[in-house]
Amino acid sequence: MFLKHLECSACGLHHEWSRLQNLCLSCQKPLLAIVDLAAARRALTRETLATREKSLWRYREVLPLAGDVGPISLGEGGTPLLRAQKFADDVDLWIKDESLNPTQSFKARGMSVAVSMAKYLDATKLAVPSAGNAGGALAAYSARAGLEAHIFMPRDTPRANIVECRELGAHVTLIDGLITNCGAEIGRRKMKEGWFDMSTLKEPYRVEGKKTLGYELAEQCDWQLPDVILYPTGGGTGLIGMWKAFDEMEALGWIGNKRPRMFAVQASGCAPIVRAFDAGEKSAAEFPNPHTIAAGLRVPKAIGDFLILKILRDSNGGAIAVDDKEMIRVTREVGASEGLFIAPEAAACFAAFKHLRSAGKVGSGERVVIFNTGSGIKYLDCYEAY
Ligand SMILES: Cc1ncc(COP(=O)(O)O)c(C=O)c1O
Ligand SMILES: [Zn+2]
């Protein structure tokens, strides 16, 4: 076990990992896992990795969970990095296809690690507010772990996500409101019900699972990070996790100090990070009246906003919003040209890519990676409505 302690991402206060933790006990900001990278460096080399199973648990030494404890796994990670065939002209565009994860989205990565740790630390009932895919993933991993899952979703969450959670044995509550209202409901009831809150960035290990997006990408790119990354940003866990992975890999001696320009892509109807980025703010105000078919982007207020904004600025990247009609149009374009039925959140990234390209913010010959974070199959009601 190379995990040392948990550290507050805002005030730096240390917390023990050996019991269940949510936010910083002093300032209520997210906690991040600090790994003993000097020890991990001695134990794990890039060469050893090549011989390991195709799962995110191949990066075991930099993940939490004691070495002799079996993770709760459904075969997450190890997803393909596909070269775009027709979508890009003279740009070296790649698609990391996360729809091939268990429950068809990248949320499986975070939940495999977080549910493994929650079980290890004796949680029995897990609760999450979800825009859709996180709920499905929690339901699956909880079932696998023999734990109860309590999932709170907005009533207008895509049908497939709701049915999926129920069929996986979770307790599903539909709320007339947004994901923030779902989170507040869990906050009100969790003490009495004995639930452990698995909200994104309100527990420290979903981000550890998501950071494997960064490890895997580096490994697949032969340890040369791309020039640009476009990431559909709701809570921002993947963005924060990847950035953490890049720093860890540099400390491990696996990559140099070059970093991709990171772009957060949001929906025009819910773009708190884009607004804050454009206004030069360090945190993002709640976005009023949020609406978009890209359910995963319908996050009006992210607890990790200050971390996301710092990454976008430190990386010399940016934030860009795309409207729903364009997402639908681009889904068909990507489907017909690349053979992938992508989620609308990812379609926003393909549309953003076009905008960045025509604004000259992505240059010819640059290597760009877009994350297809989920499957279009989960959004049939949205696609049929157009
Ligand atoms: C398909 C999809 N893409 C992107 C996101 C946003 O992810 P994050 O919360 O890591 O920003 C979500 C979140 O629900 C999602 O389901
Ligand atoms: Zn703190």
Side-chain angles (χ1 to χ4, degrees):
M1 167 81 113
F2 296 90
L3 177 59
K4 288 200 292 189
H5 57 261
L6 302 172
E7 189 176 285
C8 175
S9 56
C11 77
L13 187 69
H14 288 196
H15 294 62
E16 286 170 34
W17 66 260
S18 55
R19 58 195 184 88
L20 291 167
Q21 303 274 9
N22 287 113
L23 294 170
C24 171
L25 294 171
S26 168
C27 75
Q28 308 301 311
K29 295 289 186 198
L31 298 177
L32 295 175
I34 304 301
V35 178
D36 184 347
L37 294 169
R41 184 177 181 152
R42 289 190 293 275
L44 179 64
T45 63
R46 297 191 314 195
E47 291 68 36
T48 329
L49 271 180
T51 63
R52 293 197 176 172
E53 62 176 333
K54 208 172 137 214
S55 138
L56 63 77
W57 292 100
R58 71 200 267 112
Y59 308 107
R60 186 87 201 217
E61 286 82 349
V62 291
L63 292 173
L65 204 67
D68 57 348
V69 177
I72 309 299
S73 176
L74 291 161
E76 52 292 323
T79 58
L81 181 66
L82 304 167
R83 175 84 204 266
Q85 301 289 317
K86 303 190 192 115
F87 194 83
D89 44 18
D90 56 348
V91 173
D92 188 21
L93 178 64
W94 294 78
I95 308 161
K96 180 86 174 133
D97 189 9
E98 288 292 299
S99 71
L100 292 179
N101 276 299
T103 69
Q104 294 83 53
S105 95
F106 73 145
K107 297 281 175 184
R109 292 181 187 264
M111 289 304 183
S112 175
V113 176
V115 172
S116 294
M117 278 305 275
K119 184 173 168 86
Y120 180 57
L121 298 175
D122 295 331
T124 54
K125 301 175 183 182
L126 310 179
V128 81
S130 172
N133 288 315
L138 180 70
Y141 286 93
S142 299
R144 191 86 183 163
L147 305 179
E148 272 182 30
H150 297 265
I151 296 165
F152 289 75
M153 296 164 138
R155 195 171 293 283
D156 56 0
T157 297
R159 255 332 279 136
N161 296 123
I162 298 171
V163 174
E164 175 185 37
C165 290
R166 286 193 182 137
E167 296 309 316
L168 286 164
H171 302 263
V172 180
T173 308
L174 300 180
I175 299 272
D176 292 309
L178 297 160
I179 189 165
T180 35
N181 304 108
C182 296
E185 179 71 5
I186 291 174
R188 269 191 296 277
R189 292 175 56 189
K190 65 184 178 187
M191 282 290 278
K192 190 166 144 264
E193 305 276 0
W195 296 336
F196 180 60
D197 190 344
M198 298 283 279
S199 302
T200 196
L201 287 166
K202 288 189 187 166
E203 68 74 58
Y205 302 116
R206 283 176 64 183
V207 73
E208 290 300 292
K210 290 276 191 79
K211 86 180 178 189
T212 62
L213 288 168
Y215 277 91
E216 230 173 84
L217 185 62
E219 197 181 349
Q220 285 172 315
C221 292
D222 210 11
W223 310 105
Q224 298 293 322
L225 296 180
D227 300 301
V228 173
I229 285 178
L230 284 93
Y231 179 82
T233 306
T237 326
L239 203 75
I240 294 164
M242 273 192 275
W243 198 250
K244 184 173 189 280
F246 298 156
D247 286 347
E248 289 180 359
M249 282 188 285
E250 188 178 346
L252 291 166
W254 293 1
I255 62 167
N257 61 7
K258 184 197 150 194
R259 296 287 181 274
R261 305 199 298 283
M262 308 290 281
F263 285 89
V265 181
Q266 299 200 300
S268 311
C270 184
I273 299 296
V274 180
R275 267 196 189 172
F277 183 85
D278 289 345
E281 307 281 358
K282 287 198 171 131
S283 61
E286 181 158 346
F287 197 89
N289 307 316
H291 59 89
T292 168
I293 55 153
L297 304 184
R298 208 159 52 209
V299 181
K301 176 81 189 148
I303 190 163
D305 54 356
F306 67 104
L307 298 171
I308 301 169
L309 287 160
K310 186 168 184 324
I311 292 166
L312 303 181
R313 294 194 176 109
D314 287 354
S315 74
N316 206 17
I320 183 161
V322 172
D323 71 37
D324 285 10
K325 275 213 174 92
E326 200 175 357
M327 292 181 209
I328 297 289
R329 204 172 53 240
V330 170
T331 301
R332 287 185 194 165
E333 226 178 286
V334 174
S337 62
E338 306 296 340
L340 297 171
F341 182 15
I342 61 176
E345 292 86 348
C349 292
F350 282 89
F353 166 75
K354 287 189 181 190
H355 294 302
L356 291 172
R357 185 76 190 94
S358 51
K361 290 189 180 169
V362 171
S364 87
E366 287 201 296
R367 175 168 287 186
V368 179
V369 173
I370 288 178
F371 285 86
N372 176 34
T373 45
S375 169
I377 288 287
K378 296 269 180 91
Y379 300 79
L380 290 184
D381 32 8
C382 307
Y383 287 116
E384 269 171 354
Y386 271 80

